[in-house]
Amino acid sequence: MLDKIKELTQTIEAFSIDSKEQLEQFRLEYLSKKGKITSMFDGFDFKTVAPEIKKSMGQEMNKLKVLAQTKFEEIQEKLNAGGADNNTHQKIDTSLPSIPNELGGRHPISVVREQIYTVFERMGFSLSDGPEIEDDFHNFTALNFPENHPAREMQDTFFIERNPDIVLRTHTSSVQVRVMENQKPPIRTISPGRVYRNEAISARAHCMFHQIEGLYVDKNVSFADLKNTLYHFSKEMFGKDTQIRFRPSFFPFTEPSAEMDISCFICNGKGCNICKQSGWVEIGGAGMLDPNVLTNCNIDPKVYSGFAFGMGIERITMLKYQIKDLRLFTENDVRFLRQFKHAE
Ligand code: DAH
């Protein structure tokens, strides 16, 4: 019997296992119910063994069992660690072409926002930022909105809290107030950011969009400075033949106020679908800061004057890339976004 154990020990040690198939073969041969070790145990009558070697014989038999079991477990672990389809003979074909790693691109809104502010940066404007959750003072009161102005009503503004009101900012003009509160003139800054309005979502309106706000405060700032700044911007942004025009308008925080149009750069002012045959497209509002706004921000309107303007980034992006539906910007459809991969 001891010889048989010795022989089995040797064959188990020598059994080479390189794959899961071979491991299974090993298990069947030695560890299964009908395997060699179990059959040996079963077919052996201990009564026939001399009492003095009974103990050592039992130990040897156990050792054999443990040896087979450990070998099985160790190799099983090794094979599993190499992956489900582990095959140590598998070769890597280094001549195969690699799988291209597709790079993402920037969102068109980010692309255009950067285009806009690099133009203003070159004119000496700094970049400033403010919170999207605003108090009533910065979004309305300091900007000279009368108490009962319709823009404060529920249909336009998302209120987070009432009395005192906390709102999602409805325009980036709130950043003007924050900058003027914290800096002394001369101030020349632009503030891009996300704004919110309680509007039904359609191809032409959204409850969330982006604006870029401009502000210039110094001694002797005039409407001519405003016109010149926006004229230069339009030429840089839309092409050197671009013309601008101002139409009288109203904003509580500017006096006089204007709506700004540029000559349609698609048809060069001849009339097309984009400009609705008028030859002009609107890009934003502007005006001279109302003295009340300067006073609300602790700037003396007798010494300083200033201009401000605000533009919709979506609007400019839609014009520039002839995008017809505002909703495309927020749907994250890669077929749309991919088209801007190489836009600069
Ligand atoms: N805040 C205005 C709006 O959301 C846009 C605007 C108009 C901003 C005139 C200005 C400005 O700074 O002077 O419609």
Side-chain angles (χ1 to χ4, degrees), residues 15-116:
F15 199 109
S16 99
I17 307 172
D18 282 331
S19 66
K20 288 194 170 166
E21 292 74 42
Q22 285 169 333
L23 183 69
E24 179 59 6
Q25 213 178 319
F26 177 84
R27 189 188 68 80
L28 289 172
E29 199 162 333
Y30 299 103
L31 294 166
S32 66
K33 269 194 184 142
K34 289 189 182 143
K36 287 183 179 161
I37 298 177
T38 324
S39 334
M40 189 176 74
F41 274 93
D42 290 349
F44 189 67
D45 188 358
F46 261 93
K47 287 187 200 125
T48 61
V49 180
E52 58 276 18
I53 58 160
K54 224 183 214 173
K55 196 173 160 201
S56 61
M57 171 102 65
Q59 282 171 346
E60 287 306 311
M61 288 171 91
N62 261 337
K63 254 195 220 162
L64 179 70
K65 211 174 161 183
V66 170
L67 173 79
Q69 191 65 36
T70 329
K71 177 163 177 150
F72 176 80
E73 280 165 10
E74 274 176 12
I75 293 175
Q76 187 180 45
E77 202 172 297
K78 225 191 257 170
L79 290 176
N80 283 344
D85 287 314
N86 184 288
N87 178 354
T88 48
H89 301 304
Q90 187 186 343
K91 296 239 167 56
I92 293 169
D93 184 352
T94 50
S95 68
L96 281 174
S98 63
I99 301 160
N101 204 352
E102 205 184 335
L103 283 179
R106 283 184 315 156
H107 193 280
I109 295 294
S110 308
V111 172
V112 170
R113 182 187 56 205
E114 208 164 296
Q115 287 170 354
I116 299 173

Side-chain angles (χ1 to χ4, degrees), residues 170-171 173 176 197 211 213-214 251 253-254 285-287 308-310:
T170 56
H171 51 183
S173 302
Q176 287 184 25
R197 287 190 200 171
Q211 288 186 334
E213 188 83 9
F251 299 104
F253 37 92
T254 46
F309 57 88

Side-chain angles (χ1 to χ4, degrees), residues 68-165:
Q69 191 65 36
T70 329
K71 177 163 177 150
F72 176 80
E73 280 165 10
E74 274 176 12
I75 293 175
Q76 187 180 45
E77 202 172 297
K78 225 191 257 170
L79 290 176
N80 283 344
D85 287 314
N86 184 288
N87 178 354
T88 48
H89 301 304
Q90 187 186 343
K91 296 239 167 56
I92 293 169
D93 184 352
T94 50
S95 68
L96 281 174
S98 63
I99 301 160
N101 204 352
E102 205 184 335
L103 283 179
R106 283 184 315 156
H107 193 280
I109 295 294
S110 308
V111 172
V112 170
R113 182 187 56 205
E114 208 164 296
Q115 287 170 354
I116 299 173
Y117 72 61
T118 44
V119 175
F120 285 108
E121 220 172 22
R122 288 202 296 271
M123 288 192 258
F125 281 74
S126 67
L127 199 61
S128 49
D129 201 7
E132 288 178 23
I133 296 175
E134 263 302 3
D135 51 33
D136 176 273
F137 179 76
H138 291 92
N139 199 76
F140 295 128
T141 306
L143 288 164
N144 203 30
F145 277 78
E147 198 65 61
N148 53 357
H149 195 281
R152 292 184 181 211
E153 300 269 300
M154 291 295 274
Q155 76 266 21
D156 287 326
T157 309
F158 285 116
F159 289 90
I160 290 179
E161 271 172 40
R162 304 289 328 235
N163 296 323
D165 290 348

Side-chain angles (χ1 to χ4, degrees), residues 202-206 208-209 314-315 318 323-330:
S202 70
R204 312 201 52 165
H206 210 290
M208 178 191 84
F209 54 100
E314 274 82 353
R315 168 121 191 103
M318 287 171 93
I323 298 163
K324 301 243 160 62
D325 193 326
L326 195 58
R327 290 167 292 198
L328 285 164
F329 291 124
T330 40

Side-chain angles (χ1 to χ4, degrees), residues 235-300:
K235 283 176 174 294
E236 287 281 303
M237 188 73 192
F238 304 105
K240 65 175 174 29
D241 296 327
T242 311
Q243 298 296 311
I244 59 167
R245 75 174 185 189
F246 289 87
R247 284 176 290 116
S249 185
F250 171 79
F251 299 104
F253 37 92
T254 46
E255 183 57 40
S257 302
E259 222 62 83
M260 186 180 54
D261 297 342
I262 57 166
S263 56
C264 180
F265 51 89
I266 309 290
C267 61
N268 288 325
K270 289 186 198 80
C272 68
N273 277 348
I274 304 288
C275 63
K276 299 198 199 90
Q277 311 304 329
S278 72
W280 297 92
V281 284
E282 187 192 319
I283 62 160
M288 298 306 293
L289 283 180
D290 191 294
N292 288 345
V293 176
L294 291 167
T295 309
N296 291 339
C297 301
N298 302 320
I299 292 176
D300 186 352

